Amino acid sequence: MAKKIQAINKYCPKVKLGKTVQMKELVEYVSDRTGLNKGDIQMSLSELSSAVKFFNKRGEGVKLEGLGIYQPSIDLGGEYSIRHITDVELENALNTKGAYTGEVENRDNIGKTSEELVEMWNKEHPDDLVS
């Protein structure tokens, strides 16, 4: 007997991730767009990372306009982490109609309910139905 989550995971829309852009490529991109020196950009980004760590270690969040807020957090076991709360405008830019140009797996299933995804599973897997 299959579980509902199996059906949802198989048929739900998913962003097909490409490669992760590394620092070198990011620095080149920013340099090309701004005309700034690559070394200065590299150093600035490194210092930005250090600044987030510094302020978070003091219990202070850091707001980066256009990116979001980096904020310290702690779990029940006392393990610290840094939460990122995405800037609303950043998400809105991604959600603007036609803005996303990457691939989406199961694109035809956008807007379907979990019940519809289970129905799809049950049709394709009659010997392993989700109850």
Side-chain angles (χ1 to χ4, degrees), residues 7-17 100 103-107 110:
I8 293 170
N9 284 338
K10 179 171 172 77
Y11 296 108
C12 73
K14 297 175 193 78
V15 168
K16 184 173 182 184
L17 295 175
Y100 182 77
E103 290 184 52
V104 175
E105 297 173 4
N106 298 325
R107 182 180 288 277
I110 292 174

Side-chain angles (χ1 to χ4, degrees), residues 36-55:
L36 296 172
N37 176 290
K38 291 178 186 176
D40 290 341
I41 295 168
Q42 174 78 43
M43 185 175 57
S44 295
L45 291 173
S46 179
E47 284 303 315
L48 181 59
S49 174
S50 294
V52 169
K53 288 181 245 179
F54 174 81
F55 288 108

Side-chain angles (χ1 to χ4, degrees), residues 36-107:
L36 296 172
N37 176 290
K38 291 178 186 176
D40 290 341
I41 295 168
Q42 174 78 43
M43 185 175 57
S44 295
L45 291 173
S46 179
E47 284 303 315
L48 181 59
S49 174
S50 294
V52 169
K53 288 181 245 179
F54 174 81
F55 288 108
N56 276 204
K57 285 178 182 179
R58 293 181 4 177
E60 299 174 282
V62 176
K63 182 174 185 175
L64 299 176
E65 295 294 330
L67 291 178
I69 300 171
Y70 294 82
Q71 167 176 312
S73 181
I74 189 169
D75 67 14
L76 289 172
E79 189 78 20
Y80 293 97
S81 62
I82 297 175
R83 291 182 38 218
H84 177 251
I85 304 163
T86 306
D87 187 276
V88 173
E89 288 184 25
L90 185 61
E91 286 194 5
N92 288 344
L94 188 63
N95 282 299
T96 299
K97 190 165 180 76
Y100 182 77
T101 58
E103 290 184 52
V104 175
E105 297 173 4
N106 298 325
R107 182 180 288 277

Side-chain angles (χ1 to χ4, degrees), residues 16-26:
K16 184 173 182 184
L17 295 175
K19 67 176 181 61
T20 298
V21 174
Q22 300 298 312
M23 182 67 83
K24 181 180 179 191
E25 187 176 357
L26 177 61

